[in-house]
């Protein structure tokens, strides 16, 4: 079983001759001003949760966009700061972008173009030439920062995600001998869908600048290889599946802490949860996560099963995200309306079926919610992996709780003992909520222990170790 220690060992044995450079849009630590004091936090999102433990084991440099209002105050003359700020283990190199650059590259091309292109939902991608030019420009800015960090050293570069489709080829143009890998955290579409992007040829060629390209599942790898074939572009990139995961041991340990139990008590009191069946949904507010569908299924469940009125409470937690993009604003409003509608339709003076918790929650509260929940709903319409599902499993040290999981998540390929749903088939989905609530204890325990074994073994350190050993092996062959 891979652990933080064994990954650290692997890094020492195989990577000590190299500087490890990770590149992502979002930084793993953000510094902000609170009055005249500087504070810091780790932002929400699967990517940071997944990669910080890897760099903390390996040391090295993480290159990312500076986004906090105190970020510039804490960097040195070369825009570097040691992190984690309270116990430095590696270097964060911040890249500064103008608002116009962020609009075109991040909000525009990455989030209004590539995100909907790669996720098959009903939201169409928007492709503006101006956004594309800015995306290329920002990929060049990051390539220059990476080159500066590396200098003349031997390095392994690990690029993250769809914000940097062109980065590997730009880095390679400056430094042909480097070993570069990239992990694409979202699905890869079929060629029929991909070619609706006017610049798909350049995107494929850019990604083929990598020595190694990772996706969560074999089916995304297949889609990519077929795209390369159908588009008749060439490259010698190894394309392989590396299913991402969570720090199972840490979450299990943290979830069992006494302060989590105190928080569970206080949530029980605050929301009157005693004696109720508690369900949770816990997502970044994104249209790919199937949140309206989940609320509709809950509505149908209550409509069909009136004996559960007053006995089930669903807590929808999670942060609004990408709020500058119009479609996200619309989603926030729709979720809000659906929740209000449900509470008006069924609520009484002493009971509301849905409790919205749309604010930044601490890890203690998140773990308390996971432990309180008889069932957790992950209803994505399409999701590269989904870490929420794995975190729920990791927190259930009591071997209890039911995971209701959309079959359109990468996680569904690993978590075989979940209760599977097609989130668009509302009647069936409602039936699965009932099934989860009524599942006999013995079956819940059998399923949860099996899920826990899977996530314990296929943890974040295994993900990091497999990608890094592949990359190191490629570097050795050069
Ligand atoms: C992308 C891919 C892939 C959520 N709400 C709060 C909060 N969270 C945390 C969760 C989890 C993370 O955010 C979300 O991770 P996901 O994997 O579910 O989803 P994306 O953000 O869409 O991530 C996804 C992932 O990349 C990794 O490759 O799995 O498929 O779409 O860790 O717990 N955390 C806090 N407050 C919240 O309100 N603190």
């Amino acid at each position: 079983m891979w652990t933080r220690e064994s990954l650290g060992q692997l890094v020492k044995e195989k990577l000590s001759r190299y500087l490890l450079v990770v590149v992502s849009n979002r930084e793993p630590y953000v510094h902000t001003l609170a009055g005249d004091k500087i504070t810091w936090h780790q932002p929400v999102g699967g990517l940071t949760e997944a990669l910080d433990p890897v760099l903390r084991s390996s040391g090295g440099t993480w290159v990312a966009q500076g986004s906090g209002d105190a970020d510039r105050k804490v960097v040195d003359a070369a825009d570097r700061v040691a992190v984690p700020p309270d116990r430095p283990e590696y270097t964060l190199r911040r890249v500064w972008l103008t608002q116009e650059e962020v609009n075109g590259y991040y909000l525009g091309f990455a989030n209004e173009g590539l995100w909907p292109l790669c996720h098959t939902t009903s939201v169409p991608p928007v492709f503006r030439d101006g956004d594309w030019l800015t995306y290329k420009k920002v990929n060049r800015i990051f390539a220059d920062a990476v080159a500066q960090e590396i200098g003349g050293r031997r390095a392994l570069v690990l690029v993250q995600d769809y914000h940097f489709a062109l980065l590997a080829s730009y880095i390679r143009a400056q430094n042909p001998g480097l070993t570069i890998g990239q992990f694409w955290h979202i699905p890869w579409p079929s060629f029929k869908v991909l070619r609706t992007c006017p610049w798909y040829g350049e995107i494929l060629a850019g990604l083929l600048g990598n020595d190694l390209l990772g996706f969560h599942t074999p089916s995304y790898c297949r889609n990519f290889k077929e795209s390369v074939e159908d588009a008749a572009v060439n490259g010698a990139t190894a394309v392989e599946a590396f299913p991402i995961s969570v720090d199972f041991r840490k979450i299990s340990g943290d979830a069992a802490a006494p302060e989590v139990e105190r928080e569970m008590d206080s949530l029980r009191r605050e929301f009157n949860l005693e004696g109720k069946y508690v369900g949770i949904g816990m997502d970044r507010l994104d249209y790919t996560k199937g949140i309206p569908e989940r609320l509709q299924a809950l509505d149908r469940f209550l409509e069909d099963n009136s004996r559960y009125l007053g006995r089930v409470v669903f807590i929808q937690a999670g942060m609004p995200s990408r709020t500058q993009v119009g479609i996200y604003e619309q989603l926030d409003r729709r979720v809000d309306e659906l929740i209000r509608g449900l509470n008006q339709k069924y609520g009484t003076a002493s009971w509301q079926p849905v409790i919205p918790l749309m604010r930044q929650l601490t890890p203690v509260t998140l773990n308390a919610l996971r432990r309180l929940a008889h069932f957790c709903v992950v209803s994505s319409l399409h999701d590269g992996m989904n870490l929420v599902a794995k975190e729920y499993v990791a927190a259930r040290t009591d071997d209890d709780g039911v995971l209701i999981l959309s079959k359109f998540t990468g996680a569904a390929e690993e978590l075989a003992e979940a209760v599977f749903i097609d989130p668009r088939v509302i009647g069936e989905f409602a039936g699965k909520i009932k099934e989860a609530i009524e599942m006999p204890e013995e079956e819940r325990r059998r399923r949860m222990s099996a899920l826990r074994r899977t996530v314990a073994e296929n943890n974040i350190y295994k993900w990091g170790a497999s990608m890094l050993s592949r990359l190191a092996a490629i570097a050795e062959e050069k």
Side-chain angles (χ1 to χ4, degrees), residues 44-46 49 115 185 216 244 283-284 289 318-319 359-361 366 370 383-388 391:
V44 174
E49 314 260 347
W115 178 267
H185 289 257
H216 292 301
I244 208 165
D283 334 65
R284 221 168 29 75
K289 304 291 182 187
M319 288 275 287
R359 53 178 149 99
Q360 175 84 53
L361 302 169
L366 291 170
R370 292 174 188 130
D383 210 330
M385 173 54 71
N386 192 283
L387 295 179
V388 171
E391 287 161 346

Side-chain angles (χ1 to χ4, degrees), residues 206-394:
L207 287 169
L208 292 172
N210 285 293
D211 296 288
L212 176 66
L213 179 59
F215 293 96
H216 292 301
T217 70
S219 65
Y220 308 150
C221 293
R222 240 180 351 259
N223 280 352
F224 183 83
K225 288 182 198 162
E226 279 170 20
S227 302
V228 168
E229 224 177 272
D230 291 351
V233 280
N234 293 312
T237 306
V239 179
E240 293 168 23
F242 301 94
I244 208 165
S245 191
V246 296
D247 190 341
F248 180 86
R249 208 168 57 170
K250 179 169 188 300
I251 297 174
S252 296
D254 289 353
E259 50 178 345
V260 171
E261 274 160 31
R262 283 196 294 277
E263 177 70 357
M264 287 165 74
D265 282 340
S266 104
L267 289 166
R268 277 193 198 102
R269 276 194 305 275
E270 183 181 353
F271 299 121
N272 194 14
L273 303 176
E274 206 54 65
K276 308 275 196 312
Y277 291 104
V278 178
I280 53 163
M282 210 179 243
D283 334 65
R284 221 168 29 75
L285 274 186
D286 194 290
Y287 57 81
T288 58
K289 304 291 182 187
I291 302 169
E293 287 75 6
R294 161 186 326 171
L295 295 167
Q296 284 161 358
L298 195 68
D299 189 356
R300 180 76 65 85
F301 163 76
L302 292 171
E303 209 166 84
D304 293 350
N305 300 279
S306 57
R307 68 178 181 287
Y308 283 111
L309 291 174
R311 296 172 61 203
V312 173
V313 172
F314 189 78
I315 302 178
Q316 176 59 49
M319 288 275 287
S321 83
R322 305 180 191 167
T323 41
Q324 298 102 311
V325 177
I327 187 100
Y328 286 80
E329 226 188 321
Q330 286 168 33
L331 173 76
D332 293 358
R333 273 203 304 276
R334 178 149 161 69
V335 167
D336 204 54
E337 272 164 27
L338 282 166
I339 293 179
R340 262 189 289 130
L342 265 157
N343 285 341
Q344 266 163 18
K345 183 167 168 192
Y346 301 103
T348 61
S350 59
W351 170 74
Q352 301 271 285
V354 186
I355 297 171
L357 272 188
M358 312 293 188
R359 53 178 149 99
Q360 175 84 53
L361 302 169
T362 64
V364 171
T365 308
L366 291 170
N367 276 327
L369 289 168
R370 292 174 188 130
R371 282 190 51 192
L372 277 172
H374 296 90
F375 62 100
C376 171
V377 181
V378 172
S379 52
S380 314
L381 305 176
H382 201 181
D383 210 330
M385 173 54 71
N386 192 283
L387 295 179
V388 171
K390 294 186 174 182
E391 287 161 346
Y392 177 65
V393 169

Side-chain angles (χ1 to χ4, degrees), residues 427-469:
E428 194 185 276
F429 186 169
K432 298 290 177 175
I433 294 178
K434 181 163 184 274
E435 189 181 313
I437 289 175
E438 295 179 354
M439 188 181 284
E441 184 179 348
E442 200 188 306
E443 184 178 351
R444 294 198 307 263
R445 292 191 178 282
R446 182 184 57 73
R447 288 184 187 237
M448 187 50 82
S449 341
L451 288 169
R452 285 179 64 76
R453 279 194 296 278
T454 304
V455 182
E457 191 188 326
N458 301 291
N459 60 27
I460 183 62
Y461 296 108
K462 184 173 173 186
W463 177 77
S466 339
M467 268 210 95
L468 290 172
S469 355

Side-chain angles (χ1 to χ4, degrees), residues 166-188:
L166 307 169
L167 184 61
S169 59
Y170 292 164
I171 300 174
R172 188 162 306 290
Q174 298 192 33
N175 198 336
L178 270 186
T179 303
I180 313 171
Q182 181 157 4
F183 190 77
W184 192 264
H185 289 257
I186 62 176
W188 189 268

Side-chain angles (χ1 to χ4, degrees), residues 46-81:
L47 194 145
T48 322
E49 314 260 347
L51 266 178
D52 181 59
V54 173
L55 257 194
R56 287 170 70 167
S57 294
S58 64
T61 300
W62 188 322
V63 181
Q65 191 200 149
S67 60
D69 58 7
D71 274 0
R72 285 177 193 266
K73 294 192 190 297
V74 296
V75 294
D76 65 13
D79 296 323
R80 300 188 183 119
V81 57

